[in-house]
């Protein structure tokens, strides 16, 4: 395989098709879990670290997405928890202790559900956060790479991985290392996990809306803020979840 934009497109196209076909049943189960929570006045909390934070942004606060969604991020420790900025760094996602503070800072209610994203599924903060979510009785959907996670040793003291804790696991289909086009001297270029995770997030969202429509309910869905009346529409819906959903920086 050569290294070119066309080669990357071919790999992405194949991976998208494979993920869409293999994860259809799991997408449905994730949608069932989330739709049940939304119908019970629950909120969907999305959390990812590193590049998996893009998944949380895909779920929470974007046009065409569900309004009852909240984004959790490691920087909440600073912005909401008062910790110094130098607390943040690339190794923070490996620290299990931060999960407890993040959960405390989140505006969580018993009916809420969580979507957690981690390509490797092994870092301490994510595994500990998933453990807390399940200990407190919430539904949990995980988006991870089965291939990458399967070749890793957990960095959590329990030895568990994100996929061990979730009610529903969605495999983003990314290869070990995420990048797809091998380089002559070793390594690879062209990561895919962000693309396929976004696909899965949108598929789940669409299926949640389909279930709400089938139940005769009006889905609480965002309009783009950059179209006429978008702000008014969104503000009205957000008011139902005041204090429970954040659109942080």
């Amino acid at each position: 395989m050569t290294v070119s934009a066309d080669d990357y497109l071919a790999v992405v196209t194949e991976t998208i098709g494979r993920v869409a076909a293999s994860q259809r049943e799991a997408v449905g189960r994730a949608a069932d879990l989330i739709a049940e929570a939304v119908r019970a006045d629950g909120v969907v909390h999305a959390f990812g670290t590193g590049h998996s934070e893009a998944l949380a942004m895909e779920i929470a606060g974007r046009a065409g997405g569900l309004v009852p969604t909240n984004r959790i991020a490691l920087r909440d420790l600073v912005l909401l928890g008062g910790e110094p900025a130098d607390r943040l760094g690339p190794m923070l996602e490996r620290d299990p202790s931060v999960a407890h503070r993040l959960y405390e800072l989140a505006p969580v209610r018993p009916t809420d559900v969580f979507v957690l994203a981690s390509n490797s599924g092994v870092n301490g903060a994510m595994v500990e956060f998933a453990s807390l979510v399940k200990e407190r009785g919430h539904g949990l959907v995980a988006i991870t790479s089965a291939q990458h996670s399967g070749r890793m040793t957990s960095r959590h003291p329990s030895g568990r991985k994100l996929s061990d804790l979730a009610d529903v696991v969605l495999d983003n289909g990314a290869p070990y290392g995420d990048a797809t086009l091998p380089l002559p001297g070793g390594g690879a270029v062209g990561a895919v996990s962000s693309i396929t995770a976004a696909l899965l997030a949108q598929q789940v969202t669409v299926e949640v809306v389909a279930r709400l429509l089938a139940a005769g309910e009006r889905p609480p869905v965002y309009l783009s803020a950059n179209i006429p009346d978008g702000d008014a529409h969104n503000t009205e819906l957000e008011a139902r979840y005041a204090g429970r959903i954040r659109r942080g920086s």
Side-chain angles (χ1 to χ4, degrees):
M1 182 179 292
T2 59
V3 176
S4 71
D6 285 342
D7 290 316
Y8 179 64
L9 176 60
V11 170
V12 168
T13 301
E14 184 278 328
T15 305
I16 286 175
R18 173 164 44 84
V19 168
S22 66
Q23 300 306 296
R24 184 174 289 112
E25 187 270 338
V27 164
R29 289 191 289 114
D32 288 338
L33 191 67
I34 293 172
E36 180 180 357
V38 171
R39 295 185 69 192
D41 195 38
V43 162
V44 183
H45 298 275
F47 176 42
T49 62
H51 284 89
S52 291
E53 188 177 345
L55 183 280
M57 297 176 71
E58 196 70 28
I59 290 174
R62 69 165 302 160
L66 294 168
V67 173
T69 49
N70 179 59
R71 177 156 51 99
I72 296 170
L74 288 173
R75 60 182 166 275
D76 291 350
L77 298 170
V78 175
L79 298 176
L80 302 172
E83 298 196 25
D86 61 10
R87 179 83 162 97
L88 302 177
M91 295 296 106
L92 188 59
E93 67 179 356
R94 299 185 182 183
D95 182 358
S97 68
V98 304
H100 297 260
R101 185 61 175 146
L102 286 173
Y103 186 91
E104 291 170 0
L105 291 169
V108 179
R109 292 188 182 180
T111 53
D112 294 349
V113 66
F114 286 75
V115 179
L116 306 185
S118 170
N119 196 54
S120 69
V122 300
N123 283 316
M126 185 60 66
V127 175
E128 184 70 10
F129 196 91
S131 299
L132 289 173
V133 165
K134 293 312 303 173
E135 286 173 7
R136 285 156 176 74
H138 302 287
L140 172 58
V141 176
I143 301 181
T144 188
S145 165
Q147 184 179 136
H148 189 117
S149 188
R151 292 179 59 178
M152 294 288 290
T153 299
S154 176
R155 292 180 172 136
H156 189 270
S158 70
R160 292 181 296 183
K161 303 177 183 179
L162 176 59
S163 58
D164 297 327
L165 295 157
D167 298 294
V168 181
V169 177
L170 297 172
D171 179 10
N172 66 28
Y176 179 71
D178 201 357
T180 57
L181 301 178
L183 297 175
V189 67
V192 296
S193 64
S194 296
I195 295 172
T196 51
L199 168 69
L200 290 167
Q202 292 295 340
Q203 285 187 307
V204 170
T205 298
V206 169
E207 287 294 326
V208 170
V209 169
R211 282 153 174 74
L212 297 177
L213 290 172
E217 301 179 15
R218 180 188 176 194
V221 172
Y222 277 111
L223 292 177
S224 170
N226 297 306
I227 64 173
D229 301 321
D231 285 338
H233 169 90
N234 297 339
T235 299
E236 178 185 353
L237 289 176
E238 286 181 334
R240 303 179 191 175
Y241 306 96
R244 302 177 63 197
I245 58 177
R246 296 173 179 150
R247 302 291 176 254
S249 60

